[in-house]
Amino acid sequence: QVQLVESGGGLVQAGGSLRLSCAASGRTISMYSMAWFRQAPGKEREFVAGISWSGGRTYYADSVKGRFTISKDNAKNTVYLQMNSLKPEDTAVYYCASSTYTYTDPPRNYGYWGQGTQVTVSS
């Protein structure tokens, strides 16, 4: 099993930046594709960004393309999400997840999930 723990969320003003981390334990993530999802109140969980097991390929939702960057440090067993130019509509609980075969939508492709970290962007 893989245990995932997110951190780095918080309150930031519009236009600001945050970096989320997802630390894995139990198994190395070097053979897993990883992704970030988010869920705002009253909305479905949506895909944000994904990265292949090697880190060589990434995929982003159109809403965050050019503003967010996903990266993976296999040596540290950690995945990151750098979020720049944040907007109020980015406010959500952010989750990281791991998959053995994909780094894109939908959520059912992912077997392990973290508990989430809250990101709030004020206008």
Side-chain angles (χ1 to χ4, degrees), residues 16-83:
S17 299
L18 282 174
R19 189 177 82 154
L20 305 183
S21 299
C22 173
S25 61
R27 287 188 179 180
T28 175
I29 62 170
S30 61
M31 297 303 295
Y32 287 89
S33 295
M34 304 293 293
W36 288 93
F37 289 79
R38 66 187 181 187
Q39 188 166 18
K43 295 187 177 181
E44 292 187 354
R45 191 166 298 189
E46 66 171 352
F47 175 85
V48 175
I51 189 165
S52 63
W53 67 270
S54 67
R57 296 183 180 181
T58 57
Y59 186 74
Y60 296 93
D62 288 343
S63 59
V64 306
K65 202 171 294 183
R67 299 188 298 123
F68 291 11
T69 303
I70 188 171
S71 61
K72 190 171 183 265
D73 188 334
N74 288 334
K76 294 184 177 180
N77 231 27
T78 302
V79 179
Y80 304 97
L81 184 68
Q82 178 66 44
M83 306 186 296

Side-chain angles (χ1 to χ4, degrees), residues 5-12 17-22 36 81 83 86 90 92-95 115-121:
V5 179
E6 302 95 336
S7 62
L11 174 64
V12 64
S17 299
L18 282 174
R19 189 177 82 154
L20 305 183
S21 299
C22 173
W36 288 93
L81 184 68
M83 306 186 296
L86 282 161
D90 295 319
V93 177
Y94 283 70
Y95 300 88
Q115 83 291 345
T117 185
Q118 176 71 47
V119 171
T120 303
V121 184

